[in-house]
Amino acid sequence: MSGESGQPQPGPSHTGLYLEHPERGQAGVPGGVIRRAGGQRHRSWIQKVIEQITGSPRQCVTLSEVVPVTVLAVQRYLLEDEPRDTVPKLPLYCYDVTISDGVYQEKCYLDPSLNFLVYQNILKVGIEMRISRVSCLYNEKRLGQGILCIDKVHCGEPLDVISVETPFRNRAHEEKPERPLRGGRSHYLALWNNEDPYGDIWKTNKQPEEFNFNNTKIISLSHLEMTWNNRKNFPALLVRILHKSKLRYYGKPNKKMIEPYQTYLEVADSSGMVSVIMWNALCPEWYKSLRVGLILLLQDYSVKKSYPLRIQPDPVDPQMKLISTMEICLNLRDPPTNIVIIPEKQLKSEWKLPKLINRFITRSELDDMPENSICDVIGMLCFVGRVQRSKKKENTYVVQEIKTRTPCILDKPSTNYAASQVPIQTYFVCTQLKVVRNNTQVPKLLFLTTTNESRVLITGHRGHPYTYDTKAKSIIHWIKTKTNLEAKNTVIGGYYPYPPVPETFSKYSRFIKAESLLTTISEVRNVIEDLQYREQKRIAIQGIITAIKYIPYNHSAGGAPAPEAHRNASQPSTSQAAGKEGHCHERGSKRSQDDRPIGSQHFPSTSMVLSLSAKRKILQGPSANPVPVPQPHSSAQMKGNKPNIPSRENSAANATGKSRRIINDRWESQLWRDKKYSLRDHLHYGHVDPESIPRKFILEHEKFLTQQFNSQPAKYIPPEGKPPKLDDFPSARSLGHFEVTILGLNHEIAIDVAFLPMYSPEDVQTSQIDTFLTCMNYSCVYPPEAPVSGRLRDPKAVAGDIVKAAADLDRVHIIGILDI
């Protein structure tokens, strides 16, 4: 098994430069093609660099010639077995960057002081990069091996055309499985989280096989529970998998664990259900091959007392016994576990193995289900939002919605699919969902979220046990009759803040630590700078709304939107990119001022804003998701109070007409006209980035669209043909957005933020939304019918009415909840 035998030597390199003989051997090419360096038309720049640094170990060398190279891979791993006391503040994770000069590819080590370029997605696959300073780090336990270290780099723009056919200069870099350049770690991790299986160590080739049970003694789970303390050897177990948990990675730099993974299986026979723990190297060997419903024969396992703090999932069958006093442990050794997948056709009735039972519910049944209930859903997926990340859990999560129009938050990456990998317009099955509800919130809160055992199924239904379920059959038949009709309403991408903010600030503050309850406007920039790629955070600020500007969604006559921020379409859209001119970064230096978002300026097409992809400059509100068509949105919840804390309604009523200035699609208060030229600082975060805009889904461009709204990949993926641009796809929101200016209570700093309401002509609940404040509270607008024609009014006319109504906010003290 990978990592358990033939452990790589600890040290700087498993495979490196081979500096003593840089020209020896040949470079391999995928497909078996072999090329020699001498046969190339142009001499390799990478080869020149290798020759220049050969005699300068551990020293930075400024290159005499700097040429653009292409980034083909950015791979992350845990750094271990390094003398951490000799390297100040050595990071937990390191990055290997694969570059190509058009002749050769080379895997390089990124100096840890430049890791922030990856955190912010400035350094990513598909871009042009210029390396001006490098160093060499030798592995003293191996002859002539070292690694090329990147110490100063200039990150440029994504490239339209990239060749991936160039061979590695060092053939060892093509060996499988891939090995990191530094430390004793045997494998790479997923780029953006630790739980998703990544790389070629994860096997998928385990298949059911016929087994001869003649000489095999089998024990029931209930009998094992009663006798395991008195046994040294345990008979085989014959069980069915009922649940499979997500992966848990527990790697630490000082632990001598090659593949530190853990996962739980809930297995059952006729006597009960018990937890099975799979440890370490068995996880890459078996995790992707094991699925719920398989029959397993387990031999040479161990048994231990169960972990008291872990909560097992309840059996679907209420008659099944839950065995919680012991756990079955599977490991590659001590003892080496033997796992056999038994084919379903070999199943015998006398085994009495339990059948899989699903708890499918309909939308109407969900209304009556209590908090924390577990259920399964099946429907047609009609909306997939963009990926967001939670730094606290070091995780990625996505918001998705099935045809029942009940929000379903998939916040565990190992539910098999992350983010936009889930195809649109397909059957969508998700099991082990937990009901989250709050009937005291206004409007009532109700949604589903994943649990540790949730799984997502999106492929064909043939062969899955749930196809025999009566409800599943009915829903599948219903979907077949609706597919063409619902295709018009299918939406992908955009920002969809859920769950919504409570309707009062007092309720919101119950879930926030006191020291982080309120953020000053002057601190917002620092909060944004600290965020990483796709990271989402919610903060509360105080202020006064002093100006509102409506920004319509511009599109050409053909329906293609005018770009709000030009992006290269070959990779996922992100505001986390380097500016057009790029920026230079070197080892040991902190992030330069050029890389920070400048509060007093706003450059929608430069890195000063767009280099912080996860920072959605959005005012978030208590969107109760009242709209029938799922459209991702960003909203603004304003808890209105005058400075003396009267109600917001009274505050609005006391606004004087002479303080209002309304010009069609914008409004300014007299206070703003008096203060805007004497501000100490003005933070401009009202720009809306392309990935925050939901797009109408077009089936023939499914692969392109899913790449755009997914996380940046670790390896470059060549597009199929000439890819379109994201801005070529029409927006699913026709209304546009509002730029809201909030002045601090001390009248010294102002901040612009974006409010993206949903345009909801079908929702009767929004008919009472007639002021800008109620629009922000419900995160949508209601376009009343034109008095004569009965047709829906033009969105711009509706927005104009909303802007006029905003005049009632003059000098109203609000608390805004910002989603950034």
Side-chain angles (χ1 to χ4, degrees):
M1 174 57 200
S2 170
E4 293 294 333
S5 60
Q7 178 175 344
Q9 288 284 343
S13 176
H14 301 163
T15 57
L17 301 178
Y18 291 96
L19 296 174
E20 291 182 355
H21 307 282
E23 295 291 346
R24 76 179 180 183
Q26 297 172 330
V29 182
V33 180
I34 302 297
R35 300 179 182 175
R36 294 180 181 271
Q40 300 295 336
R41 182 176 300 177
H42 303 286
R43 189 171 180 223
S44 168
W45 176 82
I46 291 175
Q47 188 67 55
K48 294 179 184 179
V49 172
I50 298 302
E51 295 170 359
Q52 187 174 348
I53 68 169
T54 299
S56 305
R58 301 293 298 180
Q59 294 182 5
C60 291
V61 175
T62 300
L63 301 178
S64 57
E65 180 186 6
V66 178
V67 302
V69 295
T70 303
V71 179
L72 297 181
V74 179
Q75 294 170 288
R76 184 176 68 103
Y77 56 97
L78 182 69
L79 186 62
E80 137 179 305
D81 291 339
E82 294 285 339
R84 307 184 82 84
D85 55 339
T86 63
V87 183
K89 297 182 179 179
L90 202 62
L92 186 62
Y93 299 103
C94 289
Y95 295 90
D96 290 343
V97 180
T98 301
I99 61 173
S100 171
D101 62 2
V103 179
Y104 282 138
Q105 294 183 34
E106 185 74 18
K107 187 180 290 188
C108 309
Y109 172 71
L110 183 68
D111 186 87
S113 64
L114 301 178
N115 282 1
F116 75 91
L117 296 175
V118 180
Y119 299 157
Q120 298 169 12
N121 204 36
I122 297 173
L123 175 53
K124 59 184 178 181
V125 299
I127 67 166
E128 181 181 86
M129 185 171 70
R130 295 174 185 266
I131 303 170
S132 56
R133 188 179 298 165
V134 297
S135 60
C136 168
L137 183 62
Y138 281 95
N139 183 349
E140 296 180 351
K141 291 190 176 184
R142 292 176 181 264
L143 292 176
Q145 286 196 18
I147 57 176
L148 180 64
C149 305
I150 299 175
D151 297 323
K152 187 174 182 179
V153 66
H154 183 282
C155 295
E157 285 291 288
L159 298 171
D160 292 325
V161 180
I162 296 176
S163 173
V164 294
E165 294 300 319
T166 53
F168 275 99
R169 185 197 61 84
N170 183 352
R171 292 177 63 187
H173 290 165
E174 294 182 336
E175 293 178 357
K176 303 297 181 182
E178 287 188 286
R179 305 293 188 187
L181 290 176
R182 295 192 67 178
R185 185 58 48 191
S186 68
H187 68 290
Y188 288 108
L189 300 169
L191 185 57
W192 302 113
N193 65 71
N194 286 340
E195 287 80 11
D196 282 334
Y198 170 81
D200 47 19
I201 69 167
W202 296 89
K203 310 298 182 183
T204 58
N205 58 351
K206 305 296 184 182
Q207 299 296 330
E209 56 185 78
E210 294 280 349
F211 187 83
N212 187 351
F213 288 90
N214 290 340
N215 300 318
T216 303
K217 184 179 179 181
I218 296 176
I219 187 172
S220 69
L221 292 175
S222 60
H223 190 196
L224 181 64
E225 180 188 24
M226 294 184 292
T227 61
W228 72 271
N229 273 317
N230 302 321
R231 289 177 177 270
K232 292 184 179 180
N233 299 312
F234 304 107
L237 294 173
L238 185 62
V239 293
R240 188 189 295 277
I241 303 176
L242 299 187
H243 300 293
K244 173 185 170 184
S245 76
K246 72 181 185 73
L247 277 172
R248 173 178 171 260
Y249 178 79
Y250 62 94
K252 298 262 175 77
N254 298 324
K255 287 189 175 183
K256 305 294 183 180
M257 305 297 296
I258 299 302
E259 284 144 359
Y261 288 97
Q262 177 199 73
T263 189
Y264 276 87
L265 303 174
E266 304 300 324
V267 302
D269 62 11
S270 60
S271 65
M273 184 178 82
V274 73
S275 295
V276 172
I277 315 174
M278 184 176 291
W279 291 95
N280 303 333
L282 270 187
C283 290
E285 186 78 16
W286 282 94
Y287 183 80
K288 297 186 76 172
S289 296
L290 296 180
R291 65 178 187 272
V292 172
L294 287 181
I295 302 173
L296 299 182
L297 180 70
L298 305 178
Q299 301 176 88
D300 301 320
Y301 54 88
S302 60
V303 184
K304 70 171 186 177
K305 188 177 180 180
S306 61
Y307 184 60
L309 298 181
R310 181 177 179 267
I311 301 176
Q312 288 179 264
D314 293 326
V316 178
D317 184 355
Q319 304 299 322
M320 182 177 293
K321 178 184 178 182
L322 181 63
I323 300 174
S324 57
T325 58
M326 68 174 186
E327 292 177 338
I328 311 298
C329 298
L330 308 181
N331 214 325
L332 194 65
R333 53 191 176 189
D334 300 328
T337 301
N338 183 15
I339 303 174
V340 180
I341 302 177
I342 305 299
E344 193 73 25
K345 64 182 180 180
Q346 199 177 352
L347 175 65
K348 297 180 180 180
S349 58
E350 57 264 30
W351 293 350
K352 298 181 180 179
L353 292 182
K355 295 182 179 180
L356 283 182
I357 303 176
N358 288 99
R359 291 176 279 201
F360 288 116
I361 62 166
T362 62
R363 179 60 184 86
S364 58
E365 292 172 328
L366 179 61
D367 289 332
D368 300 323
M369 295 192 67
E371 172 81 359
N372 296 324
S373 298
I374 300 297
C375 63
D376 305 328
V377 295
I378 180 172
M380 190 179 78
L381 196 65
C382 56
F383 165 64
V384 178
R386 65 178 176 86
V387 171
Q388 295 175 186
R389 302 174 65 217
S390 170
K391 186 176 181 179
K392 180 179 179 181
K393 297 179 181 179
E394 220 170 13
N395 222 333
T396 63
Y397 64 91
V398 292
V399 179
Q400 302 183 335
E401 186 166 305
I402 61 171
K403 185 62 192 74
T404 56
R405 307 202 188 285
T406 300
C408 176
I409 300 178
L410 304 188
D411 56 2
K412 302 294 189 293
S414 291
T415 48
N416 301 332
Y417 292 89
S420 305
Q421 291 175 333
V422 180
I424 299 287
Q425 288 183 269
T426 186
Y427 298 146
F428 174 80
V429 178
C430 192
T431 64
Q432 289 294 111
L433 292 170
K434 182 174 69 174
V435 177
V436 180
R437 68 185 315 134
N438 185 348
N439 293 332
T440 63
Q441 185 168 320
V442 179
K444 293 181 180 180
L445 181 66
L446 176 62
F447 66 95
L448 301 172
T449 188
T450 49
T451 63
N452 197 47
E453 292 78 26
S454 292
R455 61 190 179 114
V456 175
L457 301 172
I458 60 170
T459 55
H461 296 278
R462 183 174 299 176
H464 288 287
Y466 65 79
T467 54
Y468 300 101
D469 184 275
T470 303
K471 287 185 179 178
K473 285 182 179 179
S474 175
I475 294 175
I476 292 172
H477 176 74
W478 173 80
I479 290 175
K480 289 180 179 178
T481 65
K482 295 290 184 179
T483 301
N484 294 333
L485 177 64
E486 296 301 322
K488 298 179 181 179
N489 296 326
T490 305
V491 176
I492 185 171
Y495 185 63
Y496 188 71
Y498 210 90
V501 176
E503 74 278 10
T504 64
F505 185 69
S506 59
K507 291 183 179 180
Y508 170 81
S509 61
R510 294 175 189 171
F511 306 100
I512 307 298
K513 294 180 180 179
E515 63 270 17
S516 60
L517 185 57
L518 287 169
T519 302
T520 66
I521 294 181
S522 61
E523 294 172 332
V524 171
R525 181 190 290 137
N526 292 332
V527 172
I528 289 177
E529 288 178 6
D530 290 338
L531 294 180
Q532 296 185 10
Y533 170 62
R534 298 286 200 199
E535 184 183 345
Q536 186 267 346
K537 191 173 184 178
R538 184 170 280 177
I539 62 174
I541 64 171
Q542 296 187 82
I544 302 168
I545 295 180
T546 53
I548 297 170
K549 178 183 178 181
Y550 171 59
I551 301 176
Y553 179 75
N554 296 319
H555 57 85
S556 64
E564 299 186 23
H566 297 283
R567 316 293 318 159
N568 178 273
S570 62
Q571 294 297 328
S573 169
T574 170
S575 59
Q576 195 79 11
K580 193 168 186 177
E581 298 299 324
H583 294 288
C584 197
H585 314 275
E586 61 182 301
R587 183 177 76 174
S589 63
K590 295 184 178 180
R591 181 173 53 166
S592 65
Q593 291 295 329
D594 289 340
D595 303 310
R596 300 181 181 182
I598 305 302
S600 58
Q601 303 180 59
H602 176 55
F603 303 101
S605 296
T606 72
S607 64
M608 296 180 185
V609 170
L610 297 183
S611 64
L612 302 173
S613 167
K615 295 128 189 88
R616 297 294 129 241
K617 294 79 184 179
I618 306 299
L619 273 163
Q620 159 64 27
S623 122
N625 193 31
V627 291
V629 177
Q631 295 184 359
H633 64 286
S634 305
S635 55
Q637 170 153 3
M638 301 303 176
K639 316 304 178 188
N641 297 291
K642 284 186 72 175
N644 294 326
I645 321 297
S647 68
R648 68 188 179 205
E649 289 81 3
N650 292 337
S651 299
N654 291 335
T656 58
K658 62 181 181 181
S659 66
R660 308 171 188 173
R661 182 185 178 187
I662 303 173
I663 304 177
N664 207 4
D665 59 354
R666 65 186 64 193
W667 166 80
E668 289 184 355
S669 69
Q670 182 62 47
L671 177 62
W672 180 242
R673 283 181 282 161
D674 294 340
K675 298 293 183 180
K676 63 181 177 180
Y677 297 114
S678 59
L679 296 174
R680 180 162 57 87
D681 200 359
H682 189 175
L683 307 178
H684 295 273
Y685 294 133
H687 173 67
V688 176
D689 294 308
E691 65 268 32
S692 292
I693 301 173
R695 308 286 174 173
K696 293 181 180 180
F697 180 77
I698 301 176
L699 185 60
E700 52 265 35
H701 294 294
E702 176 183 11
K703 186 174 181 180
F704 168 79
L705 287 170
T706 53
Q707 287 179 348
Q708 294 299 300
F709 294 104
N710 204 351
S711 298
Q712 281 284 343
K715 291 187 175 183
Y716 176 74
I717 304 172
E720 297 177 357
K722 184 179 180 181
K725 293 183 178 180
L726 183 59
D727 289 315
D728 293 336
F729 293 85
S731 169
R733 179 191 293 112
S734 58
L735 182 64
H737 70 280
F738 296 87
E739 185 179 277
V740 181
T741 300
I742 302 175
L743 182 65
L745 297 182
N746 293 320
H747 298 180
E748 295 179 331
I749 302 177
I751 182 172
D752 294 338
V753 293
F755 165 51
L756 286 79
M758 289 184 290
Y759 190 13
S760 317
E762 301 176 21
D763 189 1
V764 295
Q765 296 181 22
T766 59
S767 59
Q768 300 302 316
I769 298 179
D770 53 359
T771 69
F772 191 80
L773 191 60
T774 53
C775 279
M776 287 187 288
N777 278 337
Y778 284 89
S779 189
C780 58
V781 297
Y782 181 76
E785 295 180 350
V788 178
S789 65
R791 298 178 179 177
L792 292 177
R793 298 174 58 201
D794 180 75
K796 194 169 184 178
V798 175
D801 290 345
I802 297 297
V803 171
K804 291 178 183 179
D808 290 335
L809 293 176
D810 189 39
R811 293 184 180 273
V812 176
H813 172 190
I814 59 92
I815 298 176
I817 310 302
L818 296 174
D819 257 343
I820 56 178

